Amino acid sequence: MTTPVVSIAYHSGYGHTAVLAEAVRAGALEAGAEVHMVKVDEITDEQWRTLDRSDAIVFGSPTYMGTASGAFHVFAEASSRRWSGQDWQDKLAAGFTNSGSKSGDKLHTLQFFQILAGQHGMHWVNLGLLPGWNSSEGSEHDLNRLGVFAGAAAQTNVDEGPDAVHKADIATAEHLGRRVTETARVLTRGRTAA
């Protein structure tokens, strides 16, 4: 059986998004992936080549001023070298983000990731979870407690450090890592059988 290669391309300004990246990594490893962490603000030529050979790339960034961070935007623009040759076509893509507010316009960041993936001809993997914490029997400890479908979304108070990232948001990011890996496994099996 082929081991899916999953890369997590992320930026973290204050460490909160790095916690989520590690959670995505843990979920992907648990599901049997070969996982690579790529800090987009420190990316090397070798890491670009790792992204090129990945079956899936999971994008991650904090949401600043209603979109992904400036450092992630620099990475996205630099990926245009891959876009011109459609080097990432038919890879899987997914995303995660964190902000201080419950909404914080996180959806816009995830949509930015989706459009980036679409321009590259990639296939988007959604969260695949019903919303949590939306009934009298729900709680803030539910998976997908913020009710986002496009990817993993987290909220951390602006006056607290990375150790305050909510445990339910960490578990949701782990779920995303597993889902991306399982989807990549199905896709690679299908390509092998074709």
Side-chain angles (χ1 to χ4, degrees), residues 5 7 34 36 38 43-55 57 75 82 87-88 91:
V5 179
S7 288
E34 172 189 328
H36 300 274
V38 178
I43 192 166
T44 64
D45 288 342
E46 181 180 337
Q47 288 174 320
W48 279 111
R49 288 189 293 274
T50 297
L51 294 176
D52 294 343
R53 71 176 184 85
S54 296
D55 297 302
I57 303 172
F75 161 77
R82 272 70 186 164
D87 299 346
W88 293 353
K91 293 182 183 304

Side-chain angles (χ1 to χ4, degrees), residues 77-154:
E77 289 180 25
S79 76
S80 66
R81 291 182 181 167
R82 272 70 186 164
W83 168 82
S84 62
Q86 289 294 279
D87 299 346
W88 293 353
Q89 186 169 353
D90 293 329
K91 293 182 183 304
L92 297 178
F96 60 95
T97 188
N98 179 79
S99 73
S101 299
K102 296 286 191 280
S103 171
D105 294 320
K106 287 185 271 287
L107 178 59
H108 186 261
T109 299
L110 293 171
Q111 288 172 329
F112 170 74
F113 294 157
Q114 288 175 319
I115 292 168
L116 175 64
Q119 289 182 337
H120 280 287
M122 302 169 82
H123 303 288
W124 188 259
V125 179
N126 61 44
L127 189 57
L129 287 174
L130 291 172
W133 200 20
N134 68 350
S135 72
S136 60
E137 295 180 5
S139 87
E140 66 175 303
H141 304 291
D142 293 343
L143 285 179
N144 196 18
R145 71 187 182 107
L146 299 177
V148 177
F149 296 93

